Amino acid sequence: MTDTDGSRKVTRRALRDLSAGHDVSDTPPAEALAGPLVDSYGRRIRNLRISVTDRCNFRCVYCMPAEGLAWLPRGDILSFEEIARLARVAANIGVEQVRLTGGEPLVRRDVPELVRMLSAIPGLTSLSLTTNGVALPKLARPLAEAGLTRINVSLDSLARDRFAELTRRDALEQVMAGLRALEDCPTIRPIKINAVAMRGFTEAEVLDFAHFARRTGYRVRWIEFMPLDADQIWRAEDILTGGEIRAIIESEFGPLVPVGGGDPSETARRYTFSDGVGEVGFINPVSEPFCAQCDRIRLTAEGQLRTCLFAQVETDLRGPLRSGASDAEIERALREAVWRKELKHYIGDKRFHRTARSMSMIGG
Ligand code: SAM
């Protein structure tokens, strides 16, 4: 049932299911209740994103309102032990990569301790973190010592005033200091930089970021703006596509050269420059959706499993965790939820529905 050509299988199933007016099947067959974690379209799930908090110390305009959101009560948030248990169950059935996110994951106290707990789980080959970087001057080393292997730092501008305008925090210097702290931690590599691409804002610094990538060796990636902002400011015309950004770079540097050989479920299209110095990437979920290769599931800070960023339904795993469910029962809940993983996000299609949660409430 785990077709090696996942994308072909997705297409075949999708055509059948869409013509029947639905895109997911409810009941997993017996073979999906054993072996690797797989959805009803044959996609193998290897990647678990775990939000450790819904709180954030930034207020990025594309994500959160200026006044913040109503934070979850602390008791609703999974404990480190609960997170580690779920990760262990997931790793047992084929999840290989865990990424911690939020909110801002580093505002939660003792996150290096969670990293240490997760790094002891057999089967996990990658343990990464997505962060705004502000706490890295203090935490880069403890995270490295705890076993963190990869990192994404979100950075939308290299200019102090524009950075402050977008994040509503005057914190560029601290983020830069955080990046320098990472340079002293060689076990955390590569260092990736993520910038959200928004028309009318991002264009002005595309070339500065390209030079930054070449100068520092950080992999700079632009991600297309998605309708996941709490203020609902997203409009289709605000999307600046990866193709457009690439054209800006090529107008200065000449044709970019694709970097091959990556993980097939990699979300970024990766390129180097003609002289081989520096790498940039484009994450194009809107203009070039990669749902057919999606191998990701997400756990919110309060223990809801989401099988798509744009999911309309969630599976409560905190309830079972706190009411004495066995590992086998939790595994079963995970398998059943994954079986119903959505076909695709439908952005740009009349079937698209916004989700009630913003990126910070899901865990981006
Ligand atoms: N606070 C951490 C950070 O800044 O990286 C982790 C959480 S943040 C929600 C994760 C990523 O989601 C960031 O790179 C952020 O830029 C991105 N993001 C948030 N809202 C987005 C949106 N509407 N469209 C695209 N990316 C978004």
Side-chain angles (χ1 to χ4, degrees), residues 55-58 60 62-64 100-105 129-133 152-156 194-197 223-230 234 285 358-361 363-364:
R55 293 170 195 239
C56 190
N57 43 6
F58 280 15
C60 301
Y62 51 71
C63 189
M64 232 192 241
L100 299 180
T101 180
E104 169 49 42
L129 177 80
T130 298
T131 173
N132 61 29
N152 287 357
V153 178
S154 303
L155 178 60
D156 300 305
N194 283 354
V196 176
I223 176 161
E224 289 172 351
F225 183 30
M226 291 182 280
L228 287 167
D229 55 305
W234 184 92
S358 68
M359 194 72 136
S360 69
M361 297 158 77

Side-chain angles (χ1 to χ4, degrees), residues 95-114:
V95 165
E96 296 161 4
Q97 307 183 340
V98 165
R99 169 175 297 280
L100 299 180
T101 180
E104 169 49 42
L106 298 184
V107 301
R108 181 152 175 188
R109 196 174 306 154
D110 297 332
V111 167
E113 175 58 14
L114 176 63

